[in-house]
Amino acid sequence: MMSGLVLVSQVGLLALVVLLGLRMLALARSQPLTTNPFTKGHSAFQKPLRPARQMTAEDRTALYTQLHILAGLQERECRVNGIELKDAPEPVRSYAAAWLYGAACALCDQHSRHSEALEGMVSQIASRKTGIRQSHAVQAMATLTSSSALLACFRGGLEGAGFWQKHHHVSPRHSLYEAITTNAFI
């Protein structure tokens, strides 16, 4: 009885190995090799370049919803701690836009980062939540590296949104309030 079970298992495994080999052969024939790693100028370790993927309507809606929720939570935290973003000076609202842009970059897929569509979405939400003009929000995003304060706020948004995705809240260390109060004289 036991030897019969072992024999059936061995035959089954042999059949699976043969099926795997046939499947690999069929896949190899259906998808021809597009680049020859031995031709001049190509490396076997190079990844083929893929065109940038456009955000689908579903991706855009999900990201917009997440950003709106995150911006609302951060705007509320600022208000509770005494900073009314809509009444804040223009540089403070720029810091908030930079923070939100960092958060957006953390929440979207890598191919959509630093795109015009993402900047437009962030500037629209920043305008609603902070009262900053969309053109000023876009300018703050475009000039992140010109100001250490904007860059620090951007990084705070990256880290805050990353933390938010895992823990469903923003660490006080990476919050918008902390980024603003650390980088502005309020």
Short mmCIF file of all heavy atoms in Angstrom, two decimals, residues 115-140:
data_model
loop_
_atom_site.label_atom_id
_atom_site.label_comp_id
_atom_site.label_asym_id
_atom_site.label_seq_id
_atom_site.Cartn_x
_atom_site.Cartn_y
_atom_site.Cartn_z
N SER A 115 4.96 64.92 -12.20
CA SER A 115 4.27 65.16 -13.47
C SER A 115 3.40 66.40 -13.34
O SER A 115 3.07 66.85 -12.24
CB SER A 115 3.39 63.95 -13.83
OG SER A 115 2.34 63.81 -12.89
N GLU A 116 3.02 66.94 -14.48
CA GLU A 116 2.15 68.12 -14.48
C GLU A 116 0.78 67.79 -13.89
O GLU A 116 0.19 68.62 -13.20
CB GLU A 116 1.99 68.65 -15.90
CG GLU A 116 3.21 69.35 -16.43
CD GLU A 116 2.98 69.92 -17.83
OE1 GLU A 116 1.83 70.19 -18.20
OE2 GLU A 116 3.99 70.10 -18.53
N ALA A 117 0.30 66.57 -14.15
CA ALA A 117 -1.00 66.17 -13.60
C ALA A 117 -0.96 66.15 -12.08
O ALA A 117 -1.90 66.61 -11.42
CB ALA A 117 -1.39 64.80 -14.14
N LEU A 118 0.12 65.65 -11.51
CA LEU A 118 0.25 65.60 -10.06
C LEU A 118 0.37 67.01 -9.48
O LEU A 118 -0.27 67.33 -8.48
CB LEU A 118 1.45 64.75 -9.65
CG LEU A 118 1.60 64.49 -8.16
CD1 LEU A 118 0.42 63.68 -7.63
CD2 LEU A 118 2.89 63.77 -7.88
N GLU A 119 1.16 67.86 -10.12
CA GLU A 119 1.29 69.24 -9.67
C GLU A 119 -0.06 69.96 -9.71
O GLU A 119 -0.39 70.71 -8.80
CB GLU A 119 2.31 69.99 -10.51
CG GLU A 119 3.74 69.60 -10.23
CD GLU A 119 4.73 70.34 -11.11
OE1 GLU A 119 4.32 71.14 -11.98
OE2 GLU A 119 5.93 70.10 -10.94
N GLY A 120 -0.82 69.71 -10.76
CA GLY A 120 -2.14 70.33 -10.87
C GLY A 120 -3.08 69.88 -9.77
O GLY A 120 -3.81 70.69 -9.18
N MET A 121 -3.04 68.58 -9.46
CA MET A 121 -3.90 68.04 -8.41
C MET A 121 -3.51 68.63 -7.05
O MET A 121 -4.36 69.06 -6.28
CB MET A 121 -3.77 66.51 -8.36
CG MET A 121 -4.67 65.86 -7.35
SD MET A 121 -4.41 64.07 -7.20
CE MET A 121 -4.76 63.52 -8.85
N VAL A 122 -2.22 68.68 -6.78
CA VAL A 122 -1.74 69.21 -5.50
C VAL A 122 -2.06 70.69 -5.38
O VAL A 122 -2.51 71.15 -4.33
CB VAL A 122 -0.23 68.95 -5.32
CG1 VAL A 122 0.33 69.71 -4.14
CG2 VAL A 122 0.04 67.46 -5.17
N SER A 123 -1.84 71.44 -6.45
CA SER A 123 -2.12 72.89 -6.38
C SER A 123 -3.60 73.15 -6.16
O SER A 123 -3.97 74.08 -5.45
CB SER A 123 -1.62 73.60 -7.64
OG SER A 123 -2.37 73.22 -8.77
N GLN A 124 -4.45 72.32 -6.72
CA GLN A 124 -5.89 72.47 -6.53
C GLN A 124 -6.29 72.20 -5.07
O GLN A 124 -7.03 72.98 -4.46
CB GLN A 124 -6.64 71.52 -7.46
CG GLN A 124 -8.13 71.64 -7.42
CD GLN A 124 -8.79 70.64 -8.35
OE1 GLN A 124 -8.28 69.56 -8.60
NE2 GLN A 124 -9.95 71.01 -8.86
N ILE A 125 -5.77 71.12 -4.50
CA ILE A 125 -6.09 70.79 -3.11
C ILE A 125 -5.47 71.82 -2.16
O ILE A 125 -6.11 72.25 -1.21
CB ILE A 125 -5.63 69.35 -2.77
CG1 ILE A 125 -6.45 68.34 -3.59
CG2 ILE A 125 -5.77 69.07 -1.28
CD1 ILE A 125 -5.96 66.92 -3.49
N ALA A 126 -4.23 72.21 -2.43
CA ALA A 126 -3.58 73.21 -1.58
C ALA A 126 -4.35 74.52 -1.60
O ALA A 126 -4.49 75.19 -0.58
CB ALA A 126 -2.14 73.43 -2.03
N SER A 127 -4.87 74.89 -2.76
CA SER A 127 -5.65 76.11 -2.88
C SER A 127 -6.91 76.03 -2.03
O SER A 127 -7.26 76.99 -1.34
CB SER A 127 -6.00 76.35 -4.34
OG SER A 127 -6.83 77.47 -4.47
N ARG A 128 -7.56 74.89 -2.05
CA ARG A 128 -8.79 74.74 -1.26
C ARG A 128 -8.52 74.72 0.23
O ARG A 128 -9.29 75.27 1.01
CB ARG A 128 -9.50 73.43 -1.64
CG ARG A 128 -10.17 73.48 -2.97
CD ARG A 128 -10.91 72.21 -3.24
NE ARG A 128 -11.51 72.25 -4.56
CZ ARG A 128 -12.06 71.22 -5.15
NH1 ARG A 128 -12.08 70.06 -4.55
NH2 ARG A 128 -12.58 71.34 -6.35
N LYS A 129 -7.45 74.07 0.64
CA LYS A 129 -7.18 73.89 2.07
C LYS A 129 -6.44 75.07 2.71
O LYS A 129 -6.60 75.32 3.89
CB LYS A 129 -6.38 72.61 2.31
CG LYS A 129 -7.11 71.34 1.94
CD LYS A 129 -8.32 71.16 2.82
CE LYS A 129 -9.07 69.90 2.47
NZ LYS A 129 -10.29 69.73 3.22
N THR A 130 -5.62 75.76 1.93
CA THR A 130 -4.80 76.83 2.53
C THR A 130 -5.12 78.22 2.00
O THR A 130 -4.68 79.20 2.58
CB THR A 130 -3.31 76.57 2.30
OG1 THR A 130 -3.01 76.72 0.90
CG2 THR A 130 -2.89 75.20 2.78
N GLY A 131 -5.82 78.29 0.89
CA GLY A 131 -6.12 79.59 0.31
C GLY A 131 -5.01 80.12 -0.59
O GLY A 131 -5.10 81.23 -1.10
N ILE A 132 -3.96 79.35 -0.81
CA ILE A 132 -2.88 79.77 -1.70
C ILE A 132 -3.38 79.75 -3.14
O ILE A 132 -4.21 78.91 -3.51
CB ILE A 132 -1.64 78.85 -1.54
CG1 ILE A 132 -0.42 79.44 -2.26
CG2 ILE A 132 -1.92 77.45 -2.01
CD1 ILE A 132 0.88 78.69 -2.00
N ARG A 133 -2.93 80.70 -3.94
CA ARG A 133 -3.29 80.68 -5.36
C ARG A 133 -2.60 79.49 -6.01
O ARG A 133 -1.48 79.16 -5.68
CB ARG A 133 -2.89 81.97 -6.04
CG ARG A 133 -3.90 83.06 -5.78
CD ARG A 133 -3.69 84.23 -6.72
NE ARG A 133 -3.13 85.29 -5.87
CZ ARG A 133 -2.22 86.15 -6.26
NH1 ARG A 133 -1.75 86.13 -7.46
NH2 ARG A 133 -1.76 87.05 -5.45
N GLN A 134 -3.28 78.87 -6.96
CA GLN A 134 -2.73 77.68 -7.62
C GLN A 134 -1.39 77.99 -8.28
O GLN A 134 -0.47 77.18 -8.26
CB GLN A 134 -3.72 77.10 -8.62
CG GLN A 134 -4.87 76.39 -7.96
CD GLN A 134 -5.76 75.68 -8.96
OE1 GLN A 134 -5.56 75.74 -10.17
NE2 GLN A 134 -6.76 74.98 -8.44
N SER A 135 -1.26 79.18 -8.85
CA SER A 135 0.00 79.53 -9.51
C SER A 135 1.14 79.61 -8.50
O SER A 135 2.27 79.22 -8.80
CB SER A 135 -0.15 80.86 -10.26
OG SER A 135 -0.50 81.90 -9.35
N HIS A 136 0.85 80.09 -7.28
CA HIS A 136 1.89 80.15 -6.25
C HIS A 136 2.24 78.76 -5.74
O HIS A 136 3.40 78.49 -5.43
CB HIS A 136 1.45 81.04 -5.09
CG HIS A 136 1.48 82.49 -5.42
ND1 HIS A 136 0.47 83.34 -5.05
CD2 HIS A 136 2.38 83.24 -6.11
CE1 HIS A 136 0.76 84.57 -5.48
NE2 HIS A 136 1.90 84.52 -6.13
N ALA A 137 1.25 77.89 -5.67
CA ALA A 137 1.52 76.51 -5.25
C ALA A 137 2.41 75.81 -6.28
O ALA A 137 3.37 75.12 -5.91
CB ALA A 137 0.21 75.75 -5.07
N VAL A 138 2.10 76.01 -7.56
CA VAL A 138 2.93 75.41 -8.62
C VAL A 138 4.34 75.97 -8.56
O VAL A 138 5.33 75.25 -8.71
CB VAL A 138 2.29 75.63 -10.01
CG1 VAL A 138 3.24 75.25 -11.12
CG2 VAL A 138 0.99 74.83 -10.12
N GLN A 139 4.47 77.27 -8.31
CA GLN A 139 5.79 77.89 -8.21
C GLN A 139 6.57 77.31 -7.02
O GLN A 139 7.76 77.06 -7.13
CB GLN A 139 5.65 79.40 -8.06
CG GLN A 139 6.99 80.11 -8.01
CD GLN A 139 6.83 81.61 -7.86
OE1 GLN A 139 5.73 82.12 -7.72
NE2 GLN A 139 7.95 82.32 -7.88
N ALA A 140 5.90 77.08 -5.89
CA ALA A 140 6.56 76.49 -4.73
C ALA A 140 7.05 75.08 -5.05
O ALA A 140 8.16 74.70 -4.67
CB ALA A 140 5.61 76.46 -3.54
#
